[in-house]
Amino acid sequence: MEIAREIEAFLAVAEELHFGRAAARLHLTTSRISQSIRGLERRIGAPLFERTSRTVRLTPLGQTLFEEARPAVQRLEEALRKAKRAAGREPQAVMRVFFANSLREEVTTALMQGFAEVYPQIPLVRYAYPSMQHRQWCDQQRDDVFVSWFPAEPGTLHLPRVHVGPVILREPRSVMVGTGHVLARHEVVDIEELADHDVLYPPPVTRQFADAWTPPVTPSGRRIHRVRRMTDSYMEEAVTIVVQENIAHITITRLPLIGLPPDLVLVPLTGLQPFWLAPIWSVFAQNIWIPEFAELAAQTGSRAGWLTPDAP
């Protein structure tokens, strides 16, 4: 079991080339990841990574191990999935997946196809859902899964009574403003500049969640004037408020283009970490296929390169 954990940590760091991102992906601490890598290097008797204060790179030996271990682990995972199917595990009615309505169509389609290719016998039903509805899964005994955005690493936000799956995608932040807003003329906006403007404050899933989405102060300590205007319908309501009331709003960079008015501008925002896309589901859920969907979704994101914030 310890070797399995070490290999899992090694593959995550080899794919991310970053210990912090690998730790977030596996829902472990960075020190735990480092401990696992050191343990594997002791077993092998040679370093697997070259580490500096700025970069992490595979050694030639590490590259060889990665090229051999990754397909072996993938074959093992596929064998386990086949064994589950052979054991006759039946789906419970249908598998319902709710996707944030701010998520691009190509992402939702890829996630659905990734699951359907492995479990074609399981009925899948897809829903578009307002992006800020996380509390529906915290407060209700639901038997479905919600794929949505998190303003920080999901496991650090401590949402009650939900399981959080592996991260699927990371998305840079932008500032949404109307074309008449002064920030619309900027090529890039830094978080410090938002202290000079009204910024939309999202409805709090929890206060910690809302503050991570739109912080109360900039990194230098300047107060951000956050304006409460929203209920919980999110994208459509936010767009209307931003355009009509000349308020800035922090959001993801690649919003679906359909339905966005022409008098709206998205300007890249620096100084805040990216948004995270991940699945959550109620701790009371009985559908045995939800964890399978979450794991396959993470694999789809990893293969597509979605865990790099500036990936297409």
Side-chain angles (χ1 to χ4, degrees), residues 66-274:
F66 176 64
E67 292 173 356
E68 294 183 358
R70 187 181 188 187
V73 170
Q74 290 174 340
R75 288 194 297 270
L76 177 59
E77 292 172 344
E78 177 60 22
L80 290 173
R81 286 194 288 269
K82 290 180 179 178
K84 288 179 181 179
R85 294 198 294 270
R89 298 177 71 182
E90 293 297 328
Q92 297 178 320
V94 297
M95 175 71 184
R96 294 184 299 272
V97 184
F98 291 74
F99 290 103
N101 59 358
S102 55
L103 191 56
R104 304 186 307 281
E105 175 66 24
E106 62 267 27
V107 174
T108 61
T109 298
L111 297 179
M112 294 290 283
Q113 289 177 346
F115 184 82
E117 287 172 1
V118 178
Y119 297 113
Q121 78 278 19
I122 300 177
L124 274 173
V125 181
R126 180 177 73 173
Y127 300 87
Y129 209 66
S131 301
M132 297 292 286
Q133 291 285 356
H134 302 71
R135 288 214 66 91
Q136 296 291 331
W137 277 259
C138 299
D139 296 338
Q140 299 176 13
Q141 297 185 21
R142 304 181 64 111
D143 207 30
D144 41 38
V145 62
F146 182 38
V147 179
S148 191
W149 300 104
F150 294 81
E153 196 282 308
T156 67
L157 295 174
H158 307 298
L159 296 181
R161 300 176 298 283
V162 292
H163 294 299
V164 181
V167 174
I168 301 168
L169 181 152
R170 281 194 287 268
E171 178 82 12
R173 300 198 188 206
S174 283
V175 178
M176 177 193 294
V177 292
T179 53
H181 197 286
V182 64
L183 294 178
R185 297 190 293 272
H186 290 214
E187 292 186 1
V188 178
V189 174
D190 186 77
I191 182 62
E192 295 293 337
E193 296 178 77
L194 290 187
D196 300 322
H197 304 277
D198 290 343
V199 182
L200 198 58
Y201 188 52
V205 176
T206 64
R207 182 170 181 176
Q208 182 182 16
F209 188 103
D211 287 351
W213 194 292
T214 304
V217 296
T218 69
S220 70
R222 299 180 66 198
R223 179 175 173 270
I224 295 178
H225 185 234
R226 301 183 297 180
V227 179
R228 296 180 185 269
R229 290 287 190 275
M230 297 175 62
T231 57
D232 59 9
S233 61
Y234 183 56
M235 190 169 65
E236 297 81 3
E237 185 182 19
V239 166
T240 300
I241 295 170
V242 164
V243 171
Q244 294 184 355
E245 301 191 31
N246 205 34
I247 295 175
H249 176 52
I250 297 173
T251 186
I252 60 175
T253 292
R254 288 181 285 269
L255 284 169
L257 297 178
I258 297 176
L260 292 183
D263 50 355
L264 193 72
V265 176
L266 291 174
V267 184
L269 176 66
T270 60
L272 290 179
Q273 63 178 311

Side-chain angles (χ1 to χ4, degrees), residues 6-7 10 36-45 48 65:
E6 290 172 356
I7 291 294
F10 166 73
S36 295
I37 296 300
R38 288 195 298 270
L40 186 59
E41 289 176 331
R42 284 195 297 270
R43 291 181 193 276
I44 293 173
L48 299 172
L65 178 62

Side-chain angles (χ1 to χ4, degrees), residues 11-19 21-22 25 170 302 307-308:
L11 291 177
V13 176
E15 291 174 354
E16 297 285 348
L17 294 179
H18 192 284
F19 278 71
R21 289 198 296 268
R25 174 172 157 183
R170 281 194 287 268
S302 178
L307 295 175
T308 302

